[in-house]
Amino acid sequence: MLNNINFKIVLFLLFGFTITGCTNLDEEVFSEITEDSFVPAEEDIVALSASAYTPLRYIMGWQGLFDLQEESADIFVTPTRPNGWDDGGVYKRMHFHTWNETQWQPRNTWITCFNGINNINRVISQLESGDLPVSAEQANAVIAEMRGVRALYYSILLDTHGNVPILEDFSDEIPQQRSRQEVYDFVVSELNSVIPELTETVDQSTYGRLTKWGAYQLLARVYLNAEVYTGTAQWEKSLEASNQIINSGKYSLDPNYSNIFTTENQNSPEIVFAVPYDYIYATEWSQHMKMLLPSHRDVFNMQAQPWGGSSANPQFIDSYEEGDLRLENTWLMGDQLDADTGEVLFTLINEIPSIYESDATDGFRCKKYNIEAGATGSLSNDFPYFRYTDVLMMKAEALLRTGNSAEAAEIVSEVRGRSFDNPEEATVTGEELEGDTTWEYGTLDENGNIEDPGDQSPVEYGRFLDELGWEFAAESRRRTDLIRFGVYQTKNWFNHVPQGDHTTLFPIGLEELNTNTNLQQNPGY
């Protein structure tokens, strides 16, 4: 949350204030900094990076990256409700994997990422031109940071669309499409190039910015998915990048799981890179409005009335182990009480008859991100894009896949430890992690029973995939994990049946194809 006026650098990154005016909240707010609106003094150079970061706030916005990653996966479902939510079939297409080249969630990701990339290229051009009054040392530091953030945007596109143009210059030239392999190579090369130049400082001055450790985590994540992206696994390289962060000693597990996602989460010891939000100045966070029922306004004493759409797939809820506190820390369940009177307003049940028809109270609702009293249509919780638990779990997965299941189990048990009151229940073995998923996959009938089991072949390391689901539910990543484990394109869940391998990439938007004749549609569309 950005309510601490001493976070000058974060205010810079998000709102475009100058340093000399950052304590004046009556200042006019700009979404980005341009040559016409800002002439920097030497000490103000970091403000130029604002426009690189602001597009990332789309992640938790309307049909942003959260929807792309979660609505197409197996944890969230948005069925038709009494108050609507058919929305022309947009959420059903995401669930069924029958999207097309006009589907907004994939187009929103494409457009937003290239907006960020173009902003970055403009900043780099400004710095390389020598027209700005900054030292070469400062210019080089900001350019390295900008290249790292550009690699972050390309890592998203690498994952979602694969075959995209690579833009390194701020120009009007019509870009050429590149292969997924070339995009992967570009991301890896850029990160390895800039990591030595990025700051190692972890404090308020670097909060919300990509540091050396954030770049290492991005590199580890790209390597973790390398086999999907290129056909060649890079488990050892992912392990090496993860160890760089672990050995730095800069981060630790937050002893309280919920603290990572609370409104004032900027001091959590495990946030490596956050996308800051604020309910007044950075208002794109709207996912809570989509998840909560209208009557939750009285449960949380909210100033806004939620819309009541998304809920948890009952199959996922049923997969939690007894004693796992992440269940109650992530989901609203059962009786929902009036905040003032304690009266039971309604009861949430773990049942959804069909994606085509459901009652308002069908399905548990996400509460992972704290809803503070007086919440509006936008939250101030910062989104933990990279957190230390993911570093540990990437290391565990790399170890598991390279034959060291015992050490992997030790790491997973450590992560589980804060979410179980009984230490014995938190402990898992390497043999368990190597085993099949505990999920009961298959499409459901209106009574919640398996109607079509679909492919029931074992999922390699499926039990580890379960751990990723329980730990990282609602963190805009489930689709990527499912693809890596071969579940996304093979398994049935809720009302979904697989549509083929081509769905692991989204189609390039029709408007983008029409405006750039160098682009070819992804296979299968």
Side-chain angles (χ1 to χ4, degrees):
M1 180 181 180
L2 298 180
N3 63 351
N4 185 337
I5 213 68
N6 292 322
F7 284 5
K8 291 182 179 179
I9 186 61
V10 182
L11 290 173
F12 258 138
L13 299 179
L14 296 181
F15 317 131
F17 293 159
T18 63
I19 285 181
T20 57
C22 73
T23 58
N24 181 358
L25 297 185
D26 294 326
E27 289 281 327
E28 184 177 1
V29 178
F30 297 91
S31 63
E32 62 185 44
I33 300 208
T34 67
E35 290 174 293
D36 294 333
S37 65
F38 175 61
V39 179
E42 187 168 346
E43 67 270 18
D44 295 337
I45 182 59
V46 72
L48 289 170
S49 60
S51 62
Y53 290 95
T54 51
L56 288 172
R57 295 201 303 255
Y58 101 104
I59 291 171
M60 297 299 283
W62 181 250
Q63 295 189 359
L65 186 63
F66 182 94
D67 274 13
L68 192 76
Q69 291 282 75
E70 300 293 352
E71 291 285 349
S72 64
D74 59 0
I75 293 178
F76 281 91
V77 177
T78 304
T80 300
R81 304 283 186 183
N83 64 329
W85 288 98
D86 182 73
D87 289 9
V90 63
Y91 296 109
K92 294 177 179 62
R93 289 193 296 273
M94 292 300 289
H95 182 70
F96 293 137
H97 294 187
T98 55
W99 46 70
N100 55 36
E101 56 196 6
T102 63
Q103 186 86 11
W104 177 242
Q105 291 96 329
R107 287 202 62 225
N108 193 16
T109 291
W110 176 288
I111 292 168
T112 303
C113 286
F114 277 112
N115 281 342
I117 290 165
N118 285 330
N119 291 346
I120 288 168
N121 288 340
R122 181 178 63 247
V123 171
I124 292 175
S125 176
Q126 290 172 323
L127 290 167
E128 290 180 339
S129 69
D131 293 336
L132 299 177
V134 298
S135 68
E137 181 180 3
Q138 286 179 311
N140 289 337
V142 175
I143 288 172
E145 182 181 346
M146 294 296 92
R147 290 172 61 191
V149 181
R150 186 174 62 189
L152 188 154
Y153 283 114
Y154 269 112
S155 74
I156 297 173
L157 292 168
L158 170 66
D159 190 70
T160 60
H161 291 83
N163 308 293
V164 304
I166 297 176
L167 308 180
E168 297 184 75
D169 300 306
F170 186 62
S171 70
D172 295 329
E173 184 177 344
I174 298 176
Q176 297 288 327
Q177 189 172 24
R178 308 291 283 273
S179 70
R180 199 179 201 187
Q181 176 72 60
E182 289 175 303
V183 178
Y184 169 87
D185 291 340
F186 175 75
V187 172
V188 169
S189 175
E190 285 289 280
L191 290 172
N192 280 318
S193 177
V194 303
I195 279 174
E197 307 300 322
L198 295 175
T199 181
E200 298 182 5
T201 301
V202 177
D203 60 20
Q204 291 181 357
S205 71
T206 58
Y207 185 80
R209 294 170 57 191
L210 191 70
T211 64
K212 175 177 290 188
W213 316 116
Y216 266 127
Q217 187 159 356
L218 175 57
L219 185 61
R221 186 176 287 188
V222 172
Y223 281 143
L224 191 74
N225 291 285
E227 189 169 20
V228 172
Y229 300 152
T230 70
T232 301
Q234 300 289 357
W235 310 121
E236 294 288 354
K237 289 183 178 180
S238 181
L239 177 62
E240 180 182 352
S242 297
N243 277 333
Q244 291 287 342
I245 305 166
I246 294 169
N247 296 337
S248 75
K250 299 284 187 178
Y251 306 95
S252 60
L253 287 176
D254 197 312
N256 187 323
Y257 184 74
S258 293
N259 283 348
I260 309 166
F261 313 101
T262 194
T263 303
E264 297 285 353
N265 62 342
Q266 65 269 15
N267 294 316
S268 173
E270 73 169 78
I271 294 182
V272 179
F273 174 66
V275 178
Y277 290 83
D278 183 87
Y279 78 100
I280 296 176
Y281 298 108
T283 59
E284 286 87 339
W285 187 303
S286 63
Q287 283 298 326
H288 66 302
M289 299 293 286
K290 180 169 172 267
M291 296 173 185
L292 302 179
L293 274 69
S295 297
H296 273 118
R297 178 174 184 170
D298 296 323
V299 174
F300 294 104
N301 270 337
M302 297 175 65
Q303 297 183 50
Q305 181 171 290
W307 311 319
S310 301
S311 56
N313 177 3
Q315 290 164 293
F316 178 64
I317 298 299
D318 290 340
S319 76
Y320 277 91
E321 296 176 307
E322 184 175 353
D324 191 340
L325 300 177
R326 290 172 295 193
L327 174 61
E328 62 185 61
N329 288 329
T330 304
W331 304 102
L332 289 166
M333 308 174 288
D335 291 343
Q336 304 296 291
L337 309 181
D338 185 289
D340 295 325
T341 68
E343 174 190 359
V344 176
L345 297 177
F346 57 95
T347 301
L348 294 172
I349 60 174
N350 187 35
E351 297 175 7
I352 309 174
S354 168
I355 198 170
Y356 294 101
E357 183 178 2
S358 68
D359 290 333
T361 55
D362 288 344
F364 292 168
R365 306 304 170 93
C366 183
K367 70 163 188 177
K368 189 169 197 172
Y369 303 95
N370 178 58
I371 312 293
E372 65 176 349
T376 67
S378 181
L379 295 185
S380 293
N381 314 51
D382 297 340
F383 179 72
Y385 194 93
F386 291 142
R387 62 184 178 98
Y388 186 62
T389 305
D390 182 37
V391 178
L392 295 177
M393 293 297 276
M394 285 194 292
K395 177 175 182 176
E397 183 174 343
L399 290 168
L400 186 65
R401 291 180 181 274
T402 54
N404 193 343
S405 62
E407 188 176 352
E410 291 178 4
I411 295 172
V412 175
S413 297
E414 178 187 3
V415 169
R416 287 166 56 91
R418 67 181 168 192
S419 296
F420 286 83
D421 291 330
N422 185 341
E424 292 184 3
E425 293 179 347
T427 302
V428 295
T429 67
E431 184 178 4
E432 287 176 315
L433 296 179
E434 291 174 332
D436 193 12
T437 175
T438 60
W439 262 66
E440 290 192 41
Y441 278 104
T443 51
L444 304 181
D445 63 20
E446 61 182 13
N447 296 313
N449 299 315
I450 300 293
E451 183 175 55
D452 177 7
D455 180 1
Q456 290 293 303
S457 59
V459 178
E460 188 175 20
Y461 311 115
R463 180 61 175 73
F464 185 87
L465 175 63
D466 295 345
E467 292 291 342
L468 296 180
W470 300 324
E471 178 67 27
F472 299 110
E475 294 189 42
S476 304
R477 57 174 286 163
R478 182 62 173 175
R479 167 189 160 274
T480 301
D481 290 338
L482 290 182
I483 292 172
R484 190 170 68 256
F485 283 81
V487 169
Y488 187 81
Q489 59 273 44
T490 61
K491 295 293 187 182
N492 297 28
W493 61 80
F494 194 61
N495 293 163
H496 162 88
V497 294
Q499 299 296 310
D501 290 343
H502 73 281
T503 59
T504 59
L505 284 178
F506 290 104
I508 298 172
L510 179 62
E511 186 171 338
E512 286 66 51
L513 291 168
N514 289 338
T515 56
N516 183 353
T517 57
N518 293 331
L519 296 177
Q520 291 186 348
Q521 184 58 274
N522 280 330
Y525 297 106

